Structure formats: C-alpha cells, structure tokens
Amino acid sequence: TKEGVTSLPICPNGSINCQVSLEELFDRAVKLSHYIHALSSEMFNEFDERYAQGRGFIAKAVNGCHTSSLTTPEDKEQAQQIHHEDLLNLVVGVLRSWNDPLIHLASEVQRIKEAPETILWKAVEIEEQNKRLLEGMEKIVGRLHFGEPGNEIYSQWEGLPSLQLADEDSRLFAFYNLLHCLRRDSHKIDNYLKLLKCRLIHENNC
Amino acid sequence: VLQWPQISKCRSPEMETFSCYWTDGNFYNLTAPRTIQLLYMKSIDEDWKDCPDYITSGENSCYFNSSYTSIWVSYCVQLASKNEVFDKKCFSVEEIVLPDPPVHINWTLLNTSHTGLHADIQVRWDPPPTADVQKGWITLEYELQYKEVNETKWKELKPRVSTMVPLYSLKTGRDYEIRLRSRQRTSEKFGEFSEILYVSFSEPDSDCFQCTEEIGFPWFLAVTFGACGLAVTLILILLSKQPRLKMFIFPPVPVPKIKGIDPDLLKKGKLDEVNSILASHGDYKTKLYNDDLWVEFIELDIEDPDEKNRISDTDRLLSDDHLKSHSCLGAKDDDSGRASCCEPDIPETDFSASDTCDAISDSDQFRKASEKEEDLLCLDRKDDDESLASFANTDTQHRHMNTQSGNIQLWPPFADNIDSPRPLVHAQISNQNSLTNTDFYAQVSDITPAGRVVLSPGQKSKVERAQRGGCTEQNFTMDNTYFCEADVKKCIAVTSHEEDEPHVQEQSYNEDAYFTTESLTTTSINLGASTAETPSAETPVPDYTSIHIVHSPQGLVLNATALPVPDKEFNMSCGYVSTDQLNKIMP
C-alpha cells in the first residue's frame, strides 16, 4: 500500500533564512527510507510468488549484491562504533549506487511477460523515492558540514545484461537477485538512518 | 512412517543473535545414537561450519551469539548426519526477526460513565528488553488483543508503534483479558504473545440506581411500534375520503399530457368534441376534414376494437397476408402508455400498442375509404392513376404521417426506428418483395372511399415512379406542404438520385411542414432536381420523417429530411390539407 509520502517544501514561506531543523530532515529521511523498504519488500514478495515458485531460486543462495563491495557495518556493535559522518557517507554512497540499477529495473521489469501492474508501479515508485531520499541525505550531509563529500563511495552496477538475457529462467533469476538485494539494502539504509536519528537527535533515547 | 529430521524454524528475537530449531523425527529409533549436526555457511564462499552452541537454546537447537551473527548476510544451515543431509535452509538474519513479547503490561482507569456501568482504561507496556529500541537498532510494532473473560473471540486493535493504548467503554461488571505481541515494523510476522493481563473493576457504587444490567434502549419495541403507527396512519389516509389529504401524502404521478388535450376524450373519440378542442388551439381548422371519412374510421375505432377486425384491416393493408400473430401493426409492446404517444416532440416515439392500433385502424379506414375515392380525390391527375393503382396494394407498409385531425398521435417514424424491433412489421416486411429495403413502416399514401389504404410503394418503386415525369420547373416552396401524391409524382425528377435509392435531401425545413411520408420521399427526389444538388449517396430515402418541432399551432416542423412542397392551391381532393391551406380557406 502506498503511504502517500508527500514532499513538504523545505522553506514553506520562501524566506531566505529559513531552515528546516535537522530533526525534521531526519524525520523525513526515515519516513522515506521506511517507505522504500516497505515497497521493496512487497515487490520482492510479489515477484517471488509470481515467478520464483518451483524454480529453486532461494536454494541458489543469493548471489552477492553489487553493493557488497562497500564495507558497511554488519551488526549493532559495528554500527555503533562507526562515526556518524562515515555512516552518513556510506548511506549516500549506497543510495547513489542504486540510482542506476533502479532506473533499469523500472524499465526492464516492463519487459517481463505479463508483469503484474503492482510490480511495475512499485518499480517506478521506488526509483522516484530513492532519488528524493538521496537529495534529502545530501542536504543532511551539507547541514552537518562534513569536510569532504562522500563522492568516493560508490559501487558500479554491472547487472544490466543479465536483466536482458534471452533465456527466461536466467533473466527471472537475475530479477530475483536484484530484488532480493534491493530489499536487503533498503532495510540496511532504513536501519542506519534510524540509528543515526536516535543517536544524533534523541541521544540514544528513542 | 519414517520422519526425517527437519529444521523447524530459525529465529532472531532482536536482530543480534539467532537460533535454529529442528525436530528429530523418528529416525533415531532405527539407527545409532544421535549424530545430527547443524552446519552453517555464511555467504557463498565459505565452508560449512559446525554449530557453535547446541545448548543455550535448548534441545535440538543451535544458538548463534552476536559474534557469529551478521546482518544483511546470507546464511545457509543444514541438518546432517555424517554425510547425509536431511534438511537445508537459507536466509538472512533480518528476515527471521520475531521479537519477544512486550513486558510490564498494566492498565489504569481513565474515566467512568455516569451510570458507573462503563469505563475507559489505558493500557501501557514496555518493549521487550531484548530489543534495542532505544538506540533505534530495531523498530517494533505492537498489537493488543482483548476480550471478556467468558468470550471466545479476541478483539484486535490495529498494530501501533506507541507503547500505550486506550480501551473504551468496557463494562465494569465484566472481567477482561488483555494480551500483546510485537513484530519488527517492516515484517509481517508477529512474535509470541505476552502473558495475559486480567482487568477487573471494583464493585460498583452501592448508591447507584440501576446497578443491574443496563437496559439498552428498547430499539426493537420502538421500531415495531413506530412501524405499526405509520402503517395505520397511511391506511387511514388511503381510506379517508379526503382527497386533498390523500393527494398531499400520495401525490398523483403526472402523466404526460398535451395542454388542453384530454387523452380520455381522444379515446372516446367524439369528433366534434375533439375538433372543438383542437380548434381552441388556434389554427387547427378541423372542420374542413371530410367528416365522413373521419367518422368512418373513428367509428371503426370505437366499434371494432377487437383484434380480428384489425387484423383483417391490416391484411388488406398489405397485399401479402403475412400477418402472423400480432394484432397491431408495428405495435410495440411497451409500457409507455397511451398518453405518452401524444407527446409531439419525442423524437423517437415508440408507439404504444394502442396508439399504433388506432393509427393502423385509422389508416386502414382511410385506405378503405379512399380507395374508391382515389379517382375522385385526384381527378386532375389522371396520368397518375395508374401509378396509384399500381401501388394500391403495395408490399411495403407505410405509415401515414397524418398530423392533423383528432389523431394527435404524431408518429414520427424515422430512420432510426427502422432498427427498432418490430416483430410483426418485420415479419410482414420481410415477406414483402425486395423492392423494399428498410421499411418498417408503410406510408399510407391515400385512403380509398372503401376504406382501403393506399400505400406508398417501396423505395425502388418510388424510384421507378420517380423516373417518370419530372417537374424540375415546379417551384416547390415550403409553405404549403401537403400535396397530393399524384402531384408529386409528376414532379419526380430523374436526374438527381441514384438508381436504387432515392436519397433524402438535407433540406432546410420550414414551418407547416406536414408531409406524407411518401410525398416526402418523392419530393425529396424532386428537390434534388430542383436544387440541382446531388443528394448524398449514403442515406436511402426513408418513407417517413421525423418530427423536429411541433410548431403549435401551425404544425410540425419535420427534420432535415423534410422536404419542400409545392405551393399549390388547396386541393381538397387529396384528402388532407396542411394548415396553411386551411388558413387560406378559412378566414
């Protein structure tokens, strides 16, 4: 279901000096990341139901995601130890790395035979919301005055050919993988942002 | 039955550790003591490793503490004994999160109703201690369920993130049970339920008046009595002799009527009365009509209402006796009621059965009456007698567009209605010769004195007629729009129409555009010539035209298929006149 996340103007009155509080920025970011993860989950489940049954995709134990090359905290201790700047940069880097695959996902998923309308719609929606989240995160990063922007954190996606394979089974498996990775990474982003929000805004007292 | 060991589930309560549980099956009854192992593999490129902790989570379990647990990483576990693999599962830890139930559940009284019989309470709880909600590592949702102690079905509240919720309007006389469970906010599956919390209220105030079971508003009695009272009132009104009251409560549904025309009067059909009514509308000069003719068929209308006569009339109407089952030609069984057919400006009038019957009978009579009069009527058109006679009993059935006289029934049959299902007519028409192609109606071109109806020929025969004599010179104006068809026939031009289908010219119409349908047709042909405009090749000439406007009292304006009519002297012999002609004659 669509949450109806709307975009509020950053400066409602158009005044020059207005600034949305960092709290508000984080609130919006967390809302968006939650929404994106919910959509990804649903999309993966629908795809799984519709195309993956009986094909043993799960048993193939998901291939690595293209963002695996980025070293991100993998448990709570690591996440707590990492500096919030680095974590934010990582978040931005992961979001950037997903820009390209999401665009192609939205277009390639339409070529799947009889793709359900919900999957098509979600692919487009996720791509849009991801862009907005990226913008929001860049604002937050700018607000916290980081020394250097995290431009280096980026992982190139090479998976387009696999989405265009002629063999339907291989192609569907490629989609399955991509959607699985998307669900995972969106959960990761969502978690990091909630962590950061509780750490920076609520001082670890959510 | 041999049951293999199976991994029953793997679960992480807080996204920091996880455990896997399995069932033995009855495998061990058959073989050596247990050697089951749980092996795990993290991501794809590592080896299978043995479970680090078989104990902490209980029997047949494997516990992975936080150092072994990585989130967002694929794990595979398999149940094996020596080299035999019994079961295998792959997952990521964030997918198997099932939080513990909330703790420290309690309730407080918010307020009590005036009667003391109902109360609102607020239920509070804490998140499970294992889940690190404070740091935001995991976000939880809670679902509360409650019921009365002796009920069986739990009521559920919507899952929420907050750790408190009000419950409204609980009965103070009853005891309640409350339980809660939680889930990770992005998941669908809930963890286990908490322990049940019991809610009971203290003794109600001994001062209260109705401390027994509160009697709800006696809805049932109120509704019953109300309904009875209303019914009685309505019956009394219905039965009362007070028409005004009755009309007030049950206003009569208005039927369509023409101002000044009483449908009942028309039904009775006294010509004089009808004439007087019509005369009151201004220019309807009905006196000119051949009373005999009218009387004749009106009488028929009254005195021979039975179907048999009608049938025979229609038989005569048509050369072929194909009348099957229907008493009224083209009568369509519909509910529109007699009165509705009198509506002059309903374009697509579907004739009510009775009206069409009347019409038919009229036209029958007309035909009967005028068949002999044919010669009389159109004496100066001798050359056309033959043609007249030739289609005296034509195959096609035409509908007489007679808008004058007491027959307020204006039947604007038109092209559209061709398609309307008229089983009877269709049956008849289908039996007719191929000259006709579209007609569902027959136009009565004339009525002999004997009462036979002279029908206009089909379109093709019209064409043939049209071939004869042209009158391109004739100056047809729009004023006087009735003319004897013989006249028209003379004026049929040859040039401007195609072979098979005379076409209706899109002409501007004028007031007083009364036509017989046939005259329309023929005039159309003629017009085509006179205006030197080729009629369009698409539309066949209908044998009728639709009434566009009722220009009371001058008459009807027919729609675009209407055609100009020669300006002629009023010729009584044609048996009908336009109002213009009448005007000319009557001062």
Side-chain angles (χ1 to χ4, degrees), chain A residues 34 37 61-63 73-76 79-80 180 183-184 187-188 191-192 194-195 198 204-206, chain B residues 15-16 44 66 69-74 76 92 94-95 132-137 139 184-186:
Chain A
H34 180 83
H37 174 61
V62 184
N63 293 337
E74 280 178 358
D75 57 33
K76 195 172 85 170
Q80 281 180 306
H180 192 273
R183 183 176 74 161
R184 170 181 291 177
H187 186 270
K188 200 190 272 192
N191 237 63
Y192 291 166
K194 284 168 180 165
L195 217 69
C198 286
N204 279 335
N205 198 9
C206 273
Chain B
M15 217 159 62
E16 297 171 46
I44 289 185
S66 53
T69 307
S70 299
I71 321 297
W72 307 298
V73 163
S74 293
C76 284
S92 275
E94 76 273 10
E95 298 165 6
D132 193 350
V133 186
Q134 278 193 340
K135 295 205 186 74
W137 179 244
T139 317
Q184 194 190 32
R185 201 159 158 229
T186 50

Side-chain angles (χ1 to χ4, degrees), chain B residues 75-90:
Chain B
Y75 281 83
C76 284
V77 294
Q78 71 180 15
L79 206 59
S81 172
K82 301 212 167 92
N83 287 331
E84 202 170 352
V85 175
F86 301 120
D87 199 2
K88 184 180 169 189
K89 255 193 168 70
C90 294

Side-chain angles (χ1 to χ4, degrees), chain A residues 29-193:
Chain A
V30 165
K31 275 203 178 77
L32 268 177
S33 67
H34 180 83
Y35 181 49
I36 292 171
H37 174 61
L39 285 177
S40 310
S41 259
E42 285 174 22
M43 195 163 143
F44 175 79
N45 287 336
E46 284 169 22
F47 187 90
D48 188 30
E49 250 180 60
R50 176 84 172 75
Y51 295 105
Q53 298 305 319
R55 289 180 203 254
F57 285 165
I58 289 185
K60 287 181 196 163
V62 184
N63 293 337
C65 302
H66 72 287
T67 48
S68 306
S69 59
L70 306 173
T71 35
T72 52
E74 280 178 358
D75 57 33
K76 195 172 85 170
E77 289 85 32
Q78 292 178 17
Q80 281 180 306
Q81 281 158 18
I82 191 172
H83 195 268
H84 68 266
E85 282 180 20
D86 297 327
L87 192 56
L88 274 167
N89 284 330
L90 272 174
V91 167
V92 173
V94 171
L95 289 174
R96 281 212 195 101
S97 304
W98 271 100
N99 244 343
D100 202 37
L102 284 174
I103 293 172
H104 290 290
L105 177 70
S107 64
E108 294 300 324
V109 82
Q110 302 193 19
R111 309 235 186 102
I112 298 180
K113 199 173 45 169
E114 291 170 10
E117 181 60 36
T118 50
I119 292 185
L120 297 175
W121 166 77
K122 285 186 174 84
V124 173
E125 181 75 359
I126 292 173
E127 195 251 318
E128 280 178 22
Q129 301 300 333
N130 194 67
K131 276 206 205 91
R132 292 177 54 207
L133 180 58
L134 189 54
E135 287 171 16
M137 292 315 302
E138 282 164 351
K139 272 202 181 62
I140 291 177
V141 168
R143 187 71 69 85
L144 295 175
H145 304 298
F146 289 176
E148 68 223 33
N151 275 334
E152 313 88 56
I153 300 176
Y154 183 76
S155 173
Q156 179 69 28
W157 179 64
E158 313 277 348
L160 183 56
S162 62
L163 291 186
Q164 295 169 326
L165 290 171
D167 173 39
E168 194 192 354
D169 261 7
S170 312
R171 190 156 41 94
L172 288 177
F173 183 63
F175 273 105
Y176 182 88
N177 250 346
L178 187 64
L179 292 174
H180 192 273
C181 288
L182 177 62
R183 183 176 74 161
R184 170 181 291 177
D185 280 356
S186 58
H187 186 270
K188 200 190 272 192
I189 303 277
D190 188 41
N191 237 63
Y192 291 166
L193 287 178

